[in-house]
Amino acid sequence: MVFFDGGMGTMLQKYGLSNSECPDYLNISHPEIVQRIHKEYEAAGCQFITTNTFGSSPLKLEDYNLQDKVEEIAKAAVKNAREACSSRVKIAGDMGPTGRFLSPLGDLSFDEACENYYRLAKALANAGADFLIIETIIDIQEMKAALIAAKAASNLPVICQMTYAEDGRTITGAPPKAAAILLDSMGADIIGANCSLGPDKLFDVAKEMIEATNKPIIIQPNAGMPVLKNGETLFPLSAEDFAKETAKFADIGVSYLGGCCGTTPEHLHALIKELENKPSVTPPKVKPFTALTCRTGVVYVGDDYAPVKIGERINPTGRKTLREDIQKGSFVSIKKEGLAEVAAGADILDVNMGVPGVDQAAAMETAISQLSMLCPVPFSIDSTDPVVIERALKVYPGRPLINSVNAAEEEALEKILKLAKQYGAAVLCLPLEKGNLPATAEERVRIIHRIVEKANEIGLRREDLLLDPLVLTVGSGEKGASETLRTIRLYKEEFGFPCVMGTSNVSFGLPSRPRINAAFLTMAFACGMNAPIINPLDQGIKDAFINAKLLLGFDKGAANFIAETAKIPAPAEKAEASQDLPPLEQIRAAVKNGEKEQSASLMKTALDAGISSETIIKEGLTSAMTEIGDGYGAGKVYLPQVMMAAEAMQSAFCELKKLLPDIKSKEKGTLVIGTVQGDIHDLGKNIVAALMENSGYKVIDLGKDVSPDAFVKAAIEYKADLAGLCSLMTTTLPELESTVKKLKEAVPSVDILVGGAVVTQDYANEIGAPNYCKDGIAAVRIADQLIEKRNS
């Protein structure tokens, strides 16, 4: 077992850090304090010391107008660690979150995030750090950007730690397995979790990661969640309790342990003593597997798993309406197709923007951005152009499939394989070479060998590669289909990789195409096909999948087969399609699916059907958001879907006001919101503000680091009904209490909402602010209840 240190912020607070000071600048202004903390952690027995640079990236230092000091702070931080500690200690250069969401969830571009992290990573590496550690990240897309930047900046090993909520997912919905699979494929050296909660809440997170990767796992929990005791903010776990709980991670094979918020040298010393005579446990080796991920889930592909459906319908080839929409810059039909395919059971969506005369890279970027917010399945990026593929990879929040590479052009092959390695994508290999359309299975195997050798040279693993047997139309030769089936069998014998094929190519130019496709698909399953690209809306294809899963042993008790035969919905929940429904149901479906264009256009449809605006708002828009809120609370809906649904509702309401200018447009109430004094984090506050605004509230956003007097002044000036106070730092919890007190004294008519990562219901009760909001959905629900009570 290897031990990292514990909380830096906790110790800086102990030694007098004020809320107005930049913690990272103490490396320069008070190096003796930083060095003292490092020495105490080494004396406790820690083998890794983390630099005091959690907030030293340019975007974070902007909060203190210190963005030009990145290199100076990083150099001083590494120097402090080196001077404080002996040579046996390794130095991990710390990189924390930007505090902003990447597009499309937020306004930070992928390239901006990479530049931000690259500058800090380079500075830490140049200063002499032994490792880089990216920690406390809540969104997989930000971690992706940080890891790419870290690997570009140096050859140092990189540690990646996500932060998880009580439901075992990040705030944007990523489960530990999805994060571990992506980060492993991108080349992270150590993978894990920090901060989040107490050790007991991270145990299942660690187990999931151990099941998903053979990379070493690191866990650094908090000393529980903070509580208020005798007017003092404390973390509940004593050093002994923390040690006993955290030591349990050693039993399941976690390789690195440390602490985060609330932990001190005493906590780490107790942990080290607890484990000093305990033998290390090596986790069971994970058998290589192929998997694709999206922001919220994982799809496994291979012979050990049931066949998966790759939806083919987001492809303008031969589809006039789709092609014309892309040419006009409209993505409404693309989103509809994606939602319809997911509703029909597609496990993966193939996305193709191959329209002549358009900027395909820009079109692909937009399509992937918008679809990834709506459709909770992995994507296949369908292009052979490296420029198009990279634009898509930058905005895709997970591990996609690149469809595809071939041996026709060496330069393009190498570029795409390198992109796959850099961004952690899987690659579909197509047996084509320049001037040769191979007719036989043996020729195709030979070409695939060339591609696989090149992929191995670049560093891709066997689990990164999938094979296409090259489906040719049976209309061009009687042996086309049978040779493809023989290719699948040879692939399995020669490589053992998962197989993917464009099923409908077999019937091109022939009548009764669905009939041919379904028959060919059934034969392909028998040969080892794993993930055909198909039309998931076609009944014959659906039947072929149901039958194959049963006959191949992937339908326990024939449950899905029986359900389908009896016309009963299968156990798996699918997204609700928004077509062929009465107007109010269409509106609810459009809002829940995040279709803002559709929800707006349905306003006229509903009014023309004689439905009153009051009914539209209450039974359509509000009802849909209530369902979304319930789904979020139950862990079935995640933040991206919530934000898209809120946008769709707001879009519909704006359209309704255009159609009926006299409609009552008064806001529900006025909210002033901000993060409390000394707290420069505003990500959570921004989410709450956006959801409240889209839910009909007038929002006065005071920003971050807001003094109690500024809250009071704004509440009076804007005649606020509600005040929203956010605190994400343990050091600012006293400010939260004092702000609540001032508001209650100066503006007793205002209802106070409190929330943030370090706030709990018990803490809120203790400081006299019982309206605790654990997230943005809760804030809207509680605000609605308070306003309704006022108006009753």
Side-chain angles (χ1 to χ4, degrees):
M1 179 62 65
V2 178
F3 296 99
F4 271 66
D5 52 9
M8 172 60 74
T10 301
M11 295 300 291
L12 288 175
Q13 187 180 15
K14 174 183 174 181
Y15 289 127
L17 173 69
S18 75
N19 290 332
S20 61
E21 288 182 275
C22 172
D24 305 64
Y25 196 71
L26 293 182
N27 287 302
I28 296 170
S29 63
H30 291 83
E32 71 284 356
I33 294 177
V34 177
Q35 290 190 24
R36 179 178 179 181
I37 294 167
H38 290 328
K39 286 177 181 177
E40 289 183 26
Y41 276 119
E42 185 184 7
C46 300
Q47 297 131 298
F48 271 77
I49 295 296
T50 308
T51 59
N52 179 33
T53 52
F54 179 80
S56 295
S57 71
L59 287 174
K60 291 303 294 178
L61 289 177
E62 277 181 10
D63 295 321
Y64 299 99
N65 198 29
L66 292 171
Q67 60 269 28
D68 61 337
K69 301 286 187 182
V70 173
E71 290 74 18
E72 188 179 348
I73 290 172
K75 185 176 181 180
V78 174
K79 181 183 177 184
N80 286 332
R82 287 281 180 225
E83 291 184 355
C85 301
S86 67
S87 59
R88 76 174 188 87
V89 168
K90 298 290 186 185
I91 307 301
D94 196 12
M95 304 201 298
T98 62
R100 292 166 62 182
F101 274 132
L102 272 67
S103 176
L105 278 177
D107 60 359
L108 183 64
S109 75
F110 190 87
D111 286 341
E112 287 173 323
C114 282
E115 289 167 10
N116 174 72
Y117 282 112
Y118 179 88
R119 188 172 163 195
L120 177 55
K122 192 74 174 174
L124 289 166
N126 288 344
D130 300 306
F131 281 68
L132 295 175
I133 181 167
I134 308 162
E135 62 160 316
T136 324
I137 305 296
I138 65 172
D139 182 52
I140 194 64
Q141 189 69 344
E142 181 171 4
M143 179 61 86
K144 190 173 172 179
L147 179 53
I148 285 173
K151 292 182 78 65
S154 80
N155 293 320
L156 295 179
V158 183
I159 303 164
C160 296
Q161 293 180 305
M162 303 292 293
T163 291
Y164 295 89
E166 273 197 81
D167 63 357
R169 291 174 177 263
T170 69
I171 194 173
T172 55
K177 277 186 180 176
I181 288 167
L182 173 61
L183 296 174
D184 189 343
S185 67
M186 290 181 67
D189 295 281
I190 301 171
I191 298 168
N194 77 299
C195 200
S196 308
L197 308 152
D200 58 327
K201 302 292 186 182
L202 281 179
F203 197 74
D204 288 340
V205 169
K207 285 200 292 187
E208 273 200 46
M209 289 182 171
I210 286 168
E211 292 169 3
T213 177
N214 287 313
K215 294 290 178 66
I217 301 298
I218 179 171
I219 300 292
Q220 292 186 268
N222 291 341
M225 292 298 285
V227 295
L228 189 67
K229 192 171 182 179
N230 300 323
E232 187 180 358
T233 301
L234 302 170
F235 281 85
L237 289 184
S238 66
E240 292 71 24
D241 291 339
F242 175 83
K244 282 183 171 59
E245 287 293 327
T246 306
K248 294 175 183 177
F249 289 100
D251 296 332
I252 58 172
V254 169
S255 303
Y256 298 83
L257 287 174
C260 202
C261 299
T263 61
T264 65
E266 289 74 27
H267 287 80
L268 271 298
H269 180 66
L271 175 61
I272 293 164
K273 294 292 286 182
E274 183 78 19
L275 289 170
E276 65 181 349
N277 296 316
K278 196 166 187 177
S280 297
V281 174
T282 303
K285 201 79 171 170
V286 178
K287 177 185 172 184
F289 60 86
T290 298
L292 306 178
T293 72
C294 58
R295 184 182 269 115
T296 58
V298 180
V299 170
Y300 298 91
V301 186
D303 295 340
D304 292 335
Y305 310 99
V308 299
K309 300 176 186 175
I310 303 180
E312 70 178 5
R313 293 178 58 83
I314 306 176
N315 190 326
T317 304
R319 304 190 66 195
K320 184 180 177 183
T321 301
L322 206 62
R323 183 175 68 252
E324 289 176 348
D325 279 359
I326 294 170
Q327 288 171 332
K328 290 185 292 188
S330 170
F331 292 84
V332 174
S333 58
I334 288 166
K335 289 187 281 187
K336 284 184 177 179
E337 287 288 4
L339 289 165
E341 289 190 283
V342 172
D347 302 289
I348 299 165
L349 295 182
D350 190 72
V351 183
N352 183 303
M353 292 290 112
V355 177
V358 305
D359 184 341
Q360 291 186 25
M364 182 67 85
E365 180 180 13
T366 302
I368 295 293
S369 290
Q370 296 194 15
L371 286 167
S372 67
M373 292 281 281
L374 295 174
C375 302
V377 297
F379 293 173
S380 165
I381 299 166
D382 193 348
S383 176
T384 55
D385 184 339
V387 175
V388 174
I389 290 168
E390 184 164 21
R391 288 281 285 275
L393 291 173
K394 285 181 177 181
V395 297
Y396 182 68
R399 170 171 159 87
L401 175 66
I402 296 174
N403 178 14
S404 57
V405 295
N406 59 67
E409 293 184 30
E410 283 291 327
E411 186 179 350
L413 172 62
E414 184 170 342
K415 282 182 179 178
I416 295 172
L417 292 175
K418 285 182 176 178
L419 287 174
K421 176 67 176 170
Q422 181 181 13
Y423 290 90
V427 185
L428 180 59
C429 306
L430 185 66
L432 289 175
E433 58 188 0
K434 198 166 187 177
N436 180 26
L437 184 65
T440 69
E442 287 77 13
E443 284 185 277
R444 297 172 192 180
V445 168
R446 175 184 59 78
I447 296 170
I448 291 298
H449 267 297
R450 280 183 58 197
I451 297 173
V452 170
E453 286 171 12
K454 189 67 177 177
N456 290 338
E457 285 176 20
I458 286 167
L460 291 170
R461 311 159 301 171
R462 62 175 291 115
E463 52 264 50
D464 298 324
L465 304 176
L466 299 91
L467 307 182
D468 189 321
L470 185 61
V471 179
L472 301 178
T473 174
V474 73
S476 66
E478 65 276 6
K479 291 290 187 182
S482 62
E483 204 62 26
T484 297
L485 298 174
R486 200 165 72 84
T487 303
I488 297 170
R489 290 194 293 268
L490 279 182
Y491 279 173
K492 292 297 179 177
E493 293 172 12
E494 193 77 15
F495 304 100
F497 299 168
C499 288
V500 176
M501 70 178 187
T503 307
S504 60
N505 291 346
V506 75
S507 62
F508 187 77
L510 294 172
S512 301
R513 293 189 68 187
R515 173 181 167 184
I516 298 171
N517 296 342
F520 180 60
L521 180 57
T522 299
M523 298 171 80
F525 280 140
C527 295
M529 177 51 54
N530 305 108
I533 302 172
I534 45 83
N535 175 6
L537 280 65
D538 180 85
Q539 189 58 49
I541 295 294
K542 289 181 181 180
D543 291 343
F545 263 89
I546 288 288
N547 298 342
K549 287 181 179 180
L550 174 67
L551 297 172
L552 293 172
F554 294 108
D555 186 1
K556 190 175 182 180
N560 284 301
F561 181 82
I562 292 168
E564 179 64 23
T565 304
K567 300 299 178 186
I568 299 171
E573 292 186 11
K574 299 297 179 185
E576 183 178 0
S578 59
Q579 63 259 16
D580 304 323
L581 298 170
L584 284 176
E585 288 187 42
Q586 286 190 53
I587 290 168
R588 285 195 292 271
V591 170
K592 287 188 292 181
N593 288 334
E595 299 176 272
K596 58 184 179 182
E597 299 93 349
Q598 177 76 350
S599 62
S601 68
L602 285 169
M603 294 301 97
K604 187 174 187 304
T605 302
L607 292 172
D608 290 346
I611 302 172
S612 70
S613 60
E614 184 180 347
T615 301
I616 292 170
I617 294 169
K618 186 176 180 180
E619 297 182 22
L621 303 178
T622 304
S623 173
M625 282 308 296
T626 299
E627 285 187 56
I628 284 289
D630 291 344
Y632 185 78
K636 295 179 180 179
V637 174
Y638 306 107
L639 183 62
Q641 291 100 309
V642 171
M643 296 182 76
M644 289 291 283
E647 284 186 27
M649 185 187 75
Q650 185 68 1
S651 175
F653 192 69
C654 289
E655 182 64 20
L656 196 58
K657 287 198 286 186
K658 286 181 188 175
L659 295 169
L660 299 174
D662 296 330
I663 190 174
K664 184 180 178 183
S665 59
K666 183 177 179 293
E667 288 92 355
K668 292 179 183 177
T670 299
L671 166 78
V672 295
I673 188 170
T675 54
V676 297
Q677 187 165 292
D679 198 326
I680 57 169
H681 301 83
D682 61 358
L683 187 58
K685 181 266 296 175
N686 292 343
I687 294 168
V688 174
L691 290 175
M692 291 288 285
E693 192 167 37
N694 282 330
S695 298
Y697 287 88
K698 180 180 179 181
V699 176
I700 310 300
D701 191 341
L702 304 179
K704 51 199 173 188
D705 191 16
V706 182
S707 70
D709 289 339
F711 270 110
V712 168
K713 181 182 177 184
I716 295 171
E717 180 181 348
Y718 293 102
K719 298 181 175 60
D721 304 288
L722 306 164
L725 316 182
C726 302
S727 175
L728 285 95
M729 298 167 62
T730 55
T731 55
T732 60
L733 285 173
E735 294 295 339
L736 182 66
E737 183 180 10
S738 63
T739 305
V740 167
K741 184 179 179 182
K742 276 210 170 186
L743 277 169
K744 292 178 83 170
E745 290 172 352
V747 200
S749 61
V750 169
D751 285 308
I752 301 170
L753 311 177
V754 297
V758 296
V759 184
T760 64
Q761 181 68 68
D762 288 343
Y763 191 89
N765 292 339
E766 286 281 349
I767 64 173
N771 298 315
Y772 162 68
C773 307
K774 69 174 184 177
D775 50 52
I777 287 289
V780 173
R781 186 183 69 250
I782 292 169
D784 285 348
Q785 291 170 352
L786 292 170
I787 294 297
E788 186 176 345
K789 186 177 179 182
R790 280 170 175 257
N791 296 334
S792 62

